[in-house]
Amino acid sequence: MEKTLALDKAYPLPLLGRMIEKFPEKFEPAMWWPKSDETEGRKQPKKVATRGKNGWSEDLEDEMREVIEVIKTKDSEDYMRLGNLALKVNKILAISGPLLTGIAAAGSAFLGHGSWAAIVAVTAGALASTVNTFEHGGQVGMVVEMYRNCAGFLTLLEGSIESTIQEGDLEKREEGEMFEMNVALKLGRSLSQLRDLARKSSSSRADGTGIDEFASKLF
């Protein structure tokens, strides 16, 4: 806990290999890889005619597109929502703690000038202690970073899948079955579970309903 509090006091640190803001204006996924045209301007992956080369088929491409769709509409969206909420809570706590401490200090300076000063000092001091305990003991700032890292991981996975299926030369792609297995492992699923997820996503979109399952089972 002492090391954690020391890190928080010295923040921001290059924890991800680059300087990051403690209180950014808006919540964004962590990006620890070099930006490229594929990551800056996302486009819908184009269908490439596949003829069983290098382990790829049209069914596998469609499966990967459905996986991307689930990640975007369920996992990434949920992490963005929770991340924005945690960021707002962290900002409120970071402002409230010092403010209440200052009020308590000001109230204690007027002790002897009336009972109200003692009440203000004690109340503000108790609230400041509660806020600081919750902020540091609950590690709200690290919860924000956890959401940001998880959202970044999913963004990286989306980009990896998109760039792979956009590659027109099938021989330059990673071998299809191996790529499918890697995606399944990164999402904490077996191959059969990954294929079931793609089928559920496809049927849900055909029915005009949202899928009730997240892509990742790891976090």
Side-chain angles (χ1 to χ4, degrees):
M1 183 59 70
E2 289 178 357
K3 291 180 180 179
T4 300
L5 293 177
L7 281 173
D8 186 70
K9 186 181 293 185
Y11 208 92
L13 294 172
L15 301 178
L16 299 175
R18 56 181 291 184
M19 299 299 285
I20 54 178
E21 295 182 61
K22 186 173 184 179
F23 301 109
E25 290 296 323
K26 63 177 181 177
F27 180 86
E28 292 181 339
M31 293 186 67
W32 55 91
W33 61 94
K35 289 186 177 181
S36 63
D37 294 338
E38 288 79 14
T39 56
E40 289 175 349
R42 292 292 178 80
K43 297 180 180 179
Q44 186 66 23
K46 298 178 180 179
K47 275 202 171 187
V48 178
T50 55
R51 297 180 294 280
K53 290 183 178 180
N54 200 22
W56 284 91
S57 66
E58 291 187 5
D59 289 341
L60 180 54
E61 281 198 359
D62 290 338
E63 178 188 330
M64 291 297 106
R65 288 188 177 85
E66 293 299 337
V67 170
I68 291 175
E69 187 66 23
V70 177
I71 291 175
K72 286 182 178 179
T73 57
K74 292 292 293 184
D75 300 66
S76 293
E77 184 176 306
D78 198 55
Y79 276 118
M80 293 299 291
R81 177 181 62 82
L82 293 172
N84 275 301
L85 178 62
L87 180 61
K88 290 176 182 177
V89 171
N90 196 30
K91 285 181 178 180
I92 292 171
L93 293 176
I95 295 172
S96 301
L99 180 62
L100 290 169
T101 302
I103 293 173
S108 63
F110 289 96
L111 291 178
H113 292 76
S115 60
W116 63 269
I119 294 173
V120 169
V122 171
T123 303
L127 288 174
S129 177
T130 302
V131 167
N132 289 329
T133 300
F134 182 75
E135 180 184 9
H136 295 289
Q139 294 303 310
V140 181
M142 288 196 173
V143 172
V144 176
E145 292 308 312
M146 179 192 71
Y147 287 141
R148 186 151 60 172
N149 290 342
C150 291
F153 166 77
L154 293 171
T155 302
L156 179 61
L157 183 58
E158 285 178 40
S160 173
I161 298 173
E162 288 178 352
S163 62
T164 298
I165 61 180
Q166 281 177 343
E167 175 57 59
D169 188 348
L170 299 182
E171 297 300 330
K172 291 183 179 180
R173 295 183 184 181
E174 183 179 347
E175 201 276 331
E177 293 180 1
M178 185 63 68
F179 184 79
E180 183 186 24
M181 185 179 295
N182 285 336
V183 172
L185 288 173
K186 288 176 181 177
L187 294 175
R189 291 177 173 271
S190 64
L191 287 176
S192 60
Q193 289 175 334
L194 187 69
R195 290 163 187 166
D196 287 341
L197 176 71
R199 282 193 291 269
K200 286 181 182 179
S201 174
S202 179
S203 60
S204 296
R205 290 202 296 127
D207 296 338
T209 59
I211 188 171
D212 59 352
E213 188 175 353
F214 291 91
S216 177
K217 286 193 172 185
L218 292 177
F219 33 73

